[in-house]
Amino acid sequence: MTRVLLLGGTGDALRIARELRPGDVYSLAGLGKVPDDLPCAVRVGGFGGSEGMARYIEHEGIGLVIDATHPYAAQISANAAQASCSTRVPCWALRRPAWQPQAGDDWRVVNDWSELTDALAPFRRPLFTLGREPLAHLDEIPAHQFWFVRCLDSHPDTTRARILAARGPFTLEGERALFALQGFDVVVSKNSGGSATEAKLEVARDRHLPVVLLRRPQLPAVDREFERVADLLQALHLSD
Ligand code: NAP
């Protein structure tokens, strides 16, 4: 029986983990909640780069690596592809498709934090939904701006920023209420794809708000790529 190493940290990965077997391993970086109700083993923490992962694969007799990490977690995906090459153990990846702009959308794609702050200069009430990175820049908030930062981490509010610790999925009704209450004039996001955090885009469209999107990183080619969890699970069951 092929022993699977599943690299996770996303809702999609958790759905795959629920279908694994006791000999399989679900791996997490250790930043969020560690599930304790899975049929497979769970390991937490980095491997020590691609070489560390390759050693782990060999030592544990792993026969298939599945990369179901977040599309912006580029380092772990690169490590998985590299470790798969050096061990000759196949790597499959769940590559969630990016969101696509629709009629009425005003999307502005930026490459990094510096381009992001330039793009935000004309606005006063940005909603940040791209993780913890804004927390490192709370001292740099321009005088004319007040930030609303929604991320997984708890952090005290400041006089210049409100920080909301929240985990998706977010409903359309909830997003509509939040936007109406807070009066955002721009939304900042990764292009994560998937439905769990997509409602904010619909609300931005309805309210004619621009969305500043951080460009997706390039991810390595692997042996098989899937866009949907169901297709990956089907291939996994067929390959038993
Ligand atoms: P990253 O920059 O690609 O990875 C940084 C390092 O964290 C990796 O080199 C690896 O350490 C360790 N790591 C990451 N994922 C791991 C996993 N599943 N199992 C074991 N070690 C892991 O990743 P990141 O952007 O910081 O994201 C960290 C985790 O959060 C990922 O699992 C990702 O799926 C999840 N996540 C990320 C985002 C995002 O926007 N980036 C959003 C939602 C969830 P070693 O080199 O020591 O092995």
Side-chain angles (χ1 to χ4, degrees):
M1 203 161 56
T2 304
R3 191 164 193 220
V4 172
L5 170 63
L6 171 66
L7 305 168
T10 61
D12 284 344
L14 190 58
R15 284 174 59 200
I16 299 169
R18 295 202 185 286
E19 305 296 324
L20 295 183
R21 296 156 304 193
D24 300 326
V25 183
Y26 180 44
S27 175
L28 290 164
L31 304 174
K33 218 173 101 196
V34 178
D36 57 6
D37 59 347
L38 295 179
C40 60
V42 180
R43 71 166 294 286
V44 179
F47 296 91
S50 63
E51 289 176 9
M53 194 190 296
R55 279 195 297 276
Y56 180 90
I57 288 169
E58 282 169 346
H59 186 259
E60 296 295 323
I62 300 295
L64 173 66
V65 176
I66 299 178
D67 173 12
T69 58
H70 191 271
Y72 283 70
Q75 186 61 56
I76 188 73
S77 293
N79 292 353
Q82 180 64 45
S84 155
C85 269
S86 63
T87 56
R88 297 178 194 277
V89 165
C91 181
W92 295 0
L94 186 69
R95 300 276 193 245
R96 204 195 288 171
W99 293 314
Q100 299 300 326
Q102 297 183 23
D105 280 332
D106 174 3
W107 286 11
R108 305 167 187 193
V109 179
V110 296
N111 290 302
D112 53 30
W113 186 263
S114 156
E115 286 187 22
L116 175 58
T117 46
D118 289 349
L120 289 184
F123 302 100
R124 296 174 52 250
R125 296 275 304 178
L127 164 64
F128 286 88
T129 62
L130 40 63
R132 68 169 58 82
E133 189 169 4
L135 301 180
H137 299 275
L138 295 177
D139 292 341
E140 302 157 24
I141 301 178
H144 66 287
Q145 288 182 355
F146 182 90
W147 290 5
F148 191 104
V149 180
R150 183 170 68 190
C151 61
L152 295 180
D153 304 69
S154 294
H155 189 287
D157 292 341
T158 73
T159 51
R160 313 296 318 288
R162 163 102 170 82
I163 294 103
L164 176 68
R167 178 183 295 274
F170 300 105
T171 64
L172 192 54
E173 295 69 32
E175 296 294 59
R176 280 197 179 121
L178 181 72
F179 278 59
L181 186 68
Q182 298 293 336
F184 305 128
D185 56 3
V186 63
V187 178
V188 185
S189 180
K190 291 177 175 169
N191 190 335
S192 301
S195 58
T197 59
E198 194 179 14
K200 65 191 168 195
L201 300 178
E202 188 169 337
V203 181
R205 189 176 308 125
D206 289 348
R207 297 177 76 91
H208 307 291
L209 300 182
V211 180
V212 178
L213 287 160
L214 197 58
R215 190 181 298 285
R216 270 193 175 207
Q218 286 283 341
L219 297 178
V222 291
D223 296 279
R224 289 188 71 175
E225 295 188 4
F226 301 85
E227 292 192 347
R228 295 172 348 120
V229 170
D231 296 336
L232 189 150
L233 285 177
Q234 191 187 15
L236 192 58
H237 291 138
L238 292 176
S239 74
D240 272 351

